[in-house]
């Protein structure tokens, strides 16, 4: 975790982007018997059972596994970069660390995922989607806590001024010692593991002491390092020409929703619950970005703020997800060293593992969303935040973590943030961000009334009067009733005025305290916020790893790359290949292409003379699910990517068959039943 | 225009955002006989014929029209703000000038328009869509010219330091004099009109002289003003923690495409032409934003860069748009004081009014895009840039201008920018951004070869040798052949070396100049770029004005607001109303709601007991095209927004009928034929 104070930042934006590698829970979870990444080959990225073993054995396995993981990641990343799924931004100018472009297939995958997100969340729940600017004035981020607390600890090379993240240096040092230094004693190894486990909780002073104690120096120069100091991670700018209005590029999209609560509540007919949503860019000026696409300086967030009455967090549609069963990792299991386990969501809520139905509903919907995209459900877990990860005001918080070659990555945070955010903006702006529920009939309530007698107080305290009055009025019910009793029995009482930093004597004549009965027609309160927050780039990267596999070419002489994207995600739905270069086939191909455009299906046409096998391989590597090969003028061959099965379809019909499958109205199996299979002619090499 | 130098900025980003009010052409076009904005009432925003009249009469009309225009705009803007189409950003903190949120209906309109843009351009032309970061390092924007030239002229209140746009103050002064000061003489009035016409072409000195000459002072304080000085409009920031890497928030999305040209060209099979596209945020730190939603500090651009061989700008699909006829405003017509006129696109290209087929093709596609959204084609014109508006390298440039209450607004720029952008990045990065066309057979070409004899030059010029060599090598063919002739006849020649600032004597022994025959297998060249660039926010605002009308309520006692959005654009496609509050009807309503969600149709359900007429009025104001009223348990009433016609449809069928109409597969007229009309029961009040 990056922010050290219990603020919103701990729960949402940072958590989405926080250090995805070793954390307490990750350490525990990685104690599996079978290596997570077997020697890299074509087909061995299957499931693994999780069994605990002795630590020494684990470390030997871990080193081998680390090499395999690295090889697998390289294979994926090479394919992604070669096929322009992404491009290091401003590459011709040698790039900028932590900035990446989505190239054509990556951009299509992203917009497919965002369209499905809109369908699955916004449309399904009738959410109010908004779109706010990235440029944000300081006052908003002051209220949210980002100006003061959205920081990482940094150390500087004392000679060159180069900056490093303090926790990264310490982490690297410990990992290096554990993985590569055979001379490390058992006690020392235990110490390094302990440091890794508590890393996120270290204060600046503790972190500095460890760095000094281990003699860690600047990695590039071996120069000594400064003591750790906080660096604010927001990109700062200035709004308008005068230079007097500081602004920041938003670190999350949520604040734009909170500041609009009043209008949105009214738009929703002044009724709770309702949810608002926003998709947009967020920014984070990383000290030294690493881990490729997982830790970047600009990224797309999709955030939901579900506003709910704190006294009723039930959800009318909870029953639709309560039977789901998947890997959950409750706080207690993490602390007691157990592994994540399959839990039925309904039971998790009824047993109080998950705080409330609404939080549970969103956990279930997130599970459906991610698995629908193609995330392997055996490598997806919902991990509850430990007590020290959570802000004091938060009711509960779960991260959807996806396992990839970097470890378990936080991709979605689902937090019950109670009333904190609305309260913080109410406090700072003076605009009440509250909701009201009318009682069916007026209720009689007892209300505490504190009436300072200003004349008496003025005589007694003169210039301090105002502060004494304010402090009296701010008393809670218990304190006030105690004062009343003391005043009645003793006639005066010692009273601490914190804004004066001293005690004063309050006499009976100076204040009247009473309880009055009043009729109330409604209950006015600050709504609770339940926030599912999606790091779209991280989801996409994990999906790439989960979708990637290799298989031997027909000749067996090379390994071919495939992305097994479901049609929903696939950047291009279909390719069109004339089998051989001739005008007749090319005209049929163009006719089919036109009908695909009319049906709104993205396609790629390849009229090069390359062998059909090579053309299939090229598009398998882009994850294109279906290929149309024009091998006659009346009917064509339709081939499915993963099974390589082929059927014959009439030219006129082919666009509608492709549409049926890619829209999810039919499966490939359905289509196989309806059309003759094709096993001759267009071989793969 | 804002940028005074002929750079990319003149043609694209600034033009999209440039001053939309009075310009030379706008002045000419506003000389219509009939008032453009008649007294504001329900139904009078129709078409106007354009007839020229005497100027004095025009000015009297103009003042009245300005008031009507203002009233109309207020009615639109009030509705937009009340129904949360947009919200001034950070409103509870008193907002920030030039920043707006899209509220729920506005956000839906925007995402509908962007989805259609993707369908109409990206999918239709198989464009390569990319998605690049907003944070951009300085070197990229140095190459593009933005760091040096993306400026506005600013003046400062000499006492308070408040900043103003210099041209705005002068413009306001002249308009105020023309519209409100009856004492202005005919000569003076002519002078003010002249100033307005030449405003965009004034140098900082000329602008300063005018401001001083007219005695213009700071609007708020009447203090004296500083001389005009340039202010760079980019939001500046710093990348990384060290503070040594300046960066900017991109002022346009195009640069992200240009720097990726090499990879995209390869991705396209090293073939031209192809187009890349990008949708994303762009930023512009306006000095003093005004004109509401039209001049903002952060906005969404959708840009296309179509790369083409400069020797072949034909377009294979031009015939699909060549028969279109619409309002065009060629350069010559503007200069000679004529009005925009209907021209057939095919003729415009064949007569050379539009420079080439590809540019013409995109003009046609933009026309289809805008009118499909609901932009009134009588209030849409394509205006060619005047010679002084265009950069020296540009081949031709047209703006799609839409008329609204602010005048003619530049909403889309369509420019043939020649090879400038790729060349600028080639020059700065050292990476050749070029394309190659293989000749069908090798060609013999004569090549100029200049071979400086470095030894001789070193002896003669010592430390200056390098600059002399560079200057010799940079000679063009004509200059070099002249030098060769002089050297052969006279043995030496005087030669100006500009980098030394002096002439040197070149002797015959110092350089060999010859022409050699070489075989070439391909032609290597920098592609031309044709760039359609869409200001999405401006298009949306103009669409709001074109879609807005009012009509009397049934009782005739009030005017009701309606947005006549086509289903494609409408933020919500359908509403569901139980006619009266009863459980049976509410259950039917929920069943219908569920089937609408399943069909992917956005809807709003309203189960309040408000009269059905009021509920219709509420959703007419959101532009919802269809309303389902549940008035029985078996069949329901389906009502169309503009005609208010009603038909009866079975409960089971209604979702599919709604889908047919909102997807554009059927029109309302088609549906009217198929289902019984309904003229009783659910009255509008």
């Amino acid at each position: 975790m990056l922010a050290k104070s219990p603020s919103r930042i701990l729960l949402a934006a940072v958590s989405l982007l926080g250090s995805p590698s070793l954390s307490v829970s990750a350490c525990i979870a990685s104690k599996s018997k079978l290596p997570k990444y077997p020697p890299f080959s074509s087909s061995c990225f299957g499931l693994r059972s999780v069994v605990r073993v002795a630590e020494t054995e684990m470390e030997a396995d871990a080193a081998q596994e680390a090499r395999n993981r690295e090889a697998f990641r390289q294979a994926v990343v090479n394919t992604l970069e070669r096929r322009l799924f992404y491009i290091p931004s401003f590459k011709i100018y040698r790039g900028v660390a932590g900035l990446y472009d989505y190239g054509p297939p990556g951009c299509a995958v992203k917009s497919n995922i965002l369209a499905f997100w809109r369908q699955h969340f916004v449309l399904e729940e009738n959410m109010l989607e908004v779109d706010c600017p990235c440029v944000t004035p300081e006052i908003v981020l002051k209220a949210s806590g980002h100006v003061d607390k959205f920081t990482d600890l940094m150390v500087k090379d004392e000679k060159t001024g180069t900056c490093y993240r303090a926790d990264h240096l310490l982490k690297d040092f410990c990992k290096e010692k554990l993985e590569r230094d055979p001379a490390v004693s058992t006690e020392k190894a235990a110490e390094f593991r302990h440091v890794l486990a508590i890393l996120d909780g270290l204060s600046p002073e503790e972190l500095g002491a460890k760095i000094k104690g281990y003699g860690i120096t600047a990695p590039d120069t071996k120069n000594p390092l400064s003591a750790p100091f906080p660096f604010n991670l927001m990109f700062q700018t200035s709004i308008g020409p005068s230079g007097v209005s500081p602004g920041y590029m938003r670190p999350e999209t949520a604040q734009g929703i909170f500041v609009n609560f009043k209008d949105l509540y009214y738009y929703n007919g002044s009724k709770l619950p309702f949810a608002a949503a926003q998709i947009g860019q967020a920014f984070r000026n990383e000290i030294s970005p690493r881990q490729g696409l997982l830790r970047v300086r600009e990224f797309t967030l999709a955030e939901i703020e579900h506003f709910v009455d704190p006294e009723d967090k039930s959800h009318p549609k909870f029953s639709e997800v309560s039977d789901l069963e998947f890997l959950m990792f409750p706080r207690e299991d993490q602390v007691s060293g157990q592994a994540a386990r399959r839990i039925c969501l309904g039971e998790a809520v009824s047993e109080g593992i998950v705080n409330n139905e609404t939080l549970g509903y969103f956990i279930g919907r997130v599970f459906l969303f991610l698995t629908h995209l193609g995330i392997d459900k055996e490598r997806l877990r919902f991990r509850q935040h430990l007590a020290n990860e959570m802000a004091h005001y938060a009711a509960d918080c779960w991260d959807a973590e996806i396992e990839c070659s970097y470890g378990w990555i936080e991709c979605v945070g689902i937090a019950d943030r109670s009333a904190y955010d609305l309260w913080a903006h109410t406090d700072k702006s003076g605009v009440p961000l509250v909701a009201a529920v009318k009682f069916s009939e007026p209720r009689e309530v007892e209300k505490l009334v504190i009436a300072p007698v200003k004349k008496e107080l003025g005589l007694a305290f003169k210039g301090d009067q105002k502060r004494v009055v304010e402090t009296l009025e701010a008393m809670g019910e218990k304190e006030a009733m105690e004062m009343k009793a003391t005043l009645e029995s003793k006639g005066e009482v010692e009273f601490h005025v914190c804004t004066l930093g001293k005690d004063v004597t309050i006499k009976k004549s100076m204040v009247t305290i009473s309880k009055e009965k009043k009729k109330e027609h409604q209950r006015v309160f600050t709504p609770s916020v339940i926030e599912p927050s999606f790091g779209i780039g991280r989801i996409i990267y994990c999906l790439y790893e989960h979708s990637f596999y290799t298989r031997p070419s027909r000749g067996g002489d090379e390994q071919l790359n495939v992305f097994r994207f479901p049609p929903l995600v696939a950047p291009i739905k279909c390719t069109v290949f004339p089998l051989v270069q001739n005008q007749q086939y090319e005209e049929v191909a163009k006719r089919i292409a036109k009908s695909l455009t009319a049906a709104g299906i993205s396609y790629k046409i390849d009229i090069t003379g390359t062998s059909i096998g090579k053309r299939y391989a090229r598009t398998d590597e882009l994850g294109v699910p279906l290929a149309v090969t024009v091998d006659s003028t009346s009917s064509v061959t339709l081939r499915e990517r993963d099974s390589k099965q082929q059927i014959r379809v009439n030219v006129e019909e082919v666009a509608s068959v492709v549409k049926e499958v890619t829209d999810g109205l039919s499966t490939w199996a359905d289509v196989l039943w309806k059309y003759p299979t094709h096993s001759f002619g267009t071989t793969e090499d």
Side-chain angles (χ1 to χ4, degrees), chain A:
Chain A
M1 286 304 100
L2 300 166
K4 306 303 175 196
S5 357
S7 74
R8 138 157 214 91
I9 297 150
L10 255 176
L11 286 185
V14 170
S15 122
L16 262 176
L17 297 149
S19 163
S21 44
L22 283 170
S23 67
V24 182
S25 56
C27 282
I28 296 162
S30 68
K31 291 173 190 169
S32 60
K33 177 159 184 159
L34 295 174
K36 281 182 180 283
Y37 285 84
F40 178 57
S41 79
S42 58
S43 58
C44 43
F45 298 98
L47 316 181
R48 287 161 309 286
S49 67
V50 177
V51 184
R52 307 197 58 217
V53 286
E55 275 163 359
T56 47
E57 192 185 327
M58 183 195 101
E59 275 148 26
D61 283 0
Q64 178 58 39
E65 199 189 291
R67 285 188 292 275
N68 299 337
R69 200 161 51 210
E70 185 64 32
F72 173 76
R73 185 194 305 147
Q74 270 315 315
V76 179
V77 165
N78 286 348
T79 310
L80 291 173
E81 212 166 328
R82 190 163 38 77
R83 301 312 303 270
L84 295 201
F85 279 86
Y86 75 92
I87 309 164
S89 300
F90 317 113
K91 200 167 113 179
I92 61 170
Y93 292 103
R94 280 173 294 281
V96 175
L99 293 180
Y100 294 92
D101 299 344
Y102 291 85
C107 190
V109 166
K110 183 181 172 189
S111 77
N112 291 339
I113 289 180
L114 291 178
F116 178 59
W117 192 88
R118 276 209 174 91
Q119 166 80 28
H120 185 80
F121 292 105
V122 178
L123 195 65
E124 180 72 30
E125 318 287 347
N126 242 316
M127 291 176 181
L128 307 182
E129 190 181 345
V130 299
D131 183 5
C132 310
C134 302
V135 174
T136 306
E138 185 169 54
I139 191 169
V140 173
L141 296 162
K142 191 91 188 163
S144 68
H146 287 88
V147 171
D148 296 324
K149 294 172 188 162
F150 193 62
T151 55
D152 269 355
L153 290 172
M154 174 158 99
V155 288
K156 265 194 181 173
D157 181 318
E158 285 194 344
K159 290 190 182 151
T160 66
T162 307
C163 304
Y164 302 94
R165 257 185 69 174
D167 60 339
H168 280 181
L169 293 189
L170 181 57
K171 184 197 288 177
D172 291 350
F173 176 84
C174 294
K175 285 177 77 177
E176 179 79 19
K177 284 283 172 192
L178 282 172
E179 286 173 14
R180 317 239 159 139
D181 188 347
V184 166
S185 67
T186 317
E187 295 80 49
K188 266 291 178 200
E191 180 184 321
F192 292 140
R193 273 195 301 273
H194 177 70
V195 170
L196 287 173
I198 61 164
L199 194 65
D200 293 335
L202 293 178
S203 71
E205 294 71 28
E206 289 165 337
L207 200 53
K210 290 259 179 260
I211 288 174
K212 213 165 176 183
Y214 291 141
I216 300 172
T217 54
D220 304 325
T221 61
K222 307 299 165 202
N223 289 332
L225 293 164
S226 73
F229 60 97
F231 170 71
N232 194 297
L233 296 169
M234 291 191 292
F235 283 98
Q236 193 172 0
T237 191
S238 184
I239 305 173
S242 65
V244 297
S245 304
Y248 299 90
M249 303 313 298
R250 63 179 175 196
E252 57 176 19
T253 68
Q255 301 306 324
I257 296 177
F258 296 138
V259 299
N260 280 324
F261 172 79
K262 204 180 156 190
D263 280 341
L264 294 172
Y265 177 62
Y266 179 76
Y267 184 84
N268 199 53
S270 300
K271 281 202 176 55
L272 285 187
F274 75 91
Q278 180 166 200
I279 298 172
Q281 293 303 90
F283 303 82
R284 180 189 167 101
N285 199 4
E286 285 286 346
I287 293 169
S288 48
R290 37 188 215 177
Q291 295 179 308
L293 296 167
L294 290 177
R295 185 173 293 280
V296 292
R297 284 177 163 150
E298 182 175 337
F299 44 93
T300 302
L301 284 182
E303 298 194 293
I304 295 165
E305 309 297 329
H306 181 91
F307 298 102
V308 65
D309 184 339
E311 294 184 7
D312 178 12
K313 292 182 180 174
S314 65
H315 197 287
K317 288 160 77 184
F318 182 67
S319 63
E320 290 178 18
V321 296
S322 62
D323 287 342
L324 290 174
E325 234 187 82
F326 45 78
L327 285 177
M328 297 187 85
F329 203 8
R331 191 177 297 143
E332 284 66 31
D333 292 9
Q334 295 170 52
V335 172
S336 64
Q338 292 169 60
R341 59 194 162 98
R342 287 174 69 94
I343 301 181
C344 165
L345 186 54
E347 284 164 28
V349 171
S350 64
E351 288 169 14
I353 298 172
V354 170
N355 184 279
N356 60 70
E357 265 191 10
T358 300
L359 192 63
Y361 178 71
F362 280 111
I363 289 175
R365 292 292 295 168
V366 169
F367 173 81
L368 293 173
F369 174 73
L370 294 173
T371 50
H372 208 82
L373 292 180
I375 293 293
D376 177 356
K377 68 176 187 298
E378 304 296 334
R379 300 174 73 192
L380 164 63
R381 71 180 184 194
F382 288 81
R383 187 179 74 76
Q384 191 172 28
H385 277 205
L386 296 174
N388 68 3
E389 285 178 273
M390 269 200 333
H392 63 95
Y393 53 78
D396 196 4
C397 188
W398 294 76
D399 285 340
E401 295 186 333
I402 304 175
E403 198 202 17
C404 77
S405 65
Y406 290 104
W408 287 94
I409 307 298
E410 306 148 33
C411 290
V412 187
I414 309 143
D416 181 337
R417 303 177 44 73
S418 78
Y420 178 79
D421 308 282
L422 293 181
W423 173 85
H425 285 295
T426 298
D427 185 52
K428 193 85 181 174
S429 70
V431 176
L433 304 178
V434 293
V437 173
K438 280 218 169 63
F439 297 134
S440 48
E441 50 192 71
R443 291 185 193 173
E444 196 156 85
V445 289
E446 256 193 356
K447 277 246 161 179
L448 176 71
V449 179
I450 299 172
V453 182
K454 289 190 184 163
K455 197 179 145 197
E456 294 287 324
L457 289 163
L459 284 171
F461 303 114
K462 307 213 166 61
D464 291 342
Q465 181 213 352
K466 190 165 163 260
R467 292 185 177 178
V468 176
V469 167
E470 281 169 1
T471 315
L472 283 170
E473 286 176 338
M475 280 190 293
E477 182 161 335
K478 189 165 164 263
E479 196 187 354
M481 294 320 285
E482 280 171 12
M483 179 183 275
K484 182 184 168 74
T486 314
L487 287 176
E488 275 164 14
S489 61
K490 300 193 179 158
E492 63 176 50
V493 64
E494 286 301 286
F495 179 60
H496 184 72
V497 180
C498 58
T499 49
L500 293 175
K502 64 173 183 190
D503 284 5
V504 299
T505 305
I506 300 292
K507 298 201 172 129
K508 205 177 167 184
S509 59
M510 293 176 183
V511 63
T512 321
I513 296 169
S514 59
K515 278 195 171 175
E516 282 178 16
K517 291 200 169 166
K518 275 180 76 175
K519 279 214 167 165
E520 286 202 335
H521 297 265
Q522 59 180 11
R523 184 167 60 88
V524 176
F525 58 91
T526 305
S528 279
V529 172
I530 290 168
E531 175 189 84
S533 172
F534 299 70
I536 297 299
R538 288 190 163 192
I539 294 171
I540 291 174
Y541 178 76
C542 291
L543 183 59
Y544 288 152
E545 281 206 9
H546 286 206
S547 304
F548 184 80
Y549 67 100
T550 63
R551 59 185 174 197
S553 63
R554 198 178 165 91
D557 49 342
E558 57 176 330
Q559 288 290 319
L560 303 175
N561 304 317
V562 188
F563 282 109
R564 63 164 85 78
F565 300 131
L568 174 78
V569 167
I572 297 164
K573 308 304 178 199
C574 176
T575 46
V576 184
F577 303 140
L579 181 61
V580 291
Q581 283 182 307
N582 83 34
Q583 209 193 330
Q584 266 189 321
Y585 285 5
E586 277 176 28
E587 265 163 27
V588 173
K590 279 185 190 156
R591 228 164 72 215
I592 293 172
K594 212 164 177 176
S595 62
L596 289 169
T597 300
I601 295 164
S602 62
Y603 67 90
K604 202 178 160 82
I605 191 161
D606 182 349
I607 55 168
T608 60
T610 317
S611 82
I612 195 72
K614 284 223 173 93
R615 280 187 278 174
Y616 283 148
R618 266 188 210 160
T619 60
D620 289 346
E621 210 174 44
L622 288 173
V624 182
L626 298 173
V628 176
T629 300
V630 180
D631 44 12
S632 92
T633 54
S634 57
S635 71
V636 295
T637 300
L638 185 64
R639 177 244 196 202
E640 195 273 337
R641 175 194 59 210
D642 296 303
S643 65
K644 301 200 235 173
Q645 287 163 332
Q646 306 186 352
I647 56 168
R648 290 210 62 81
V649 185
N650 287 334
V651 169
E652 284 66 34
E653 257 178 288
V654 71
S656 70
V657 175
V658 170
K659 190 172 170 62
E660 242 177 73
V661 175
T662 55
D663 279 3
L665 303 173
S666 297
T667 63
W668 178 252
D670 299 335
V671 172
L672 267 184
W673 270 99
K674 269 172 69 183
Y675 295 89
T677 56
H678 182 72
S679 52
F680 55 90
T682 61
T683 64
E684 300 253 326
D685 285 275

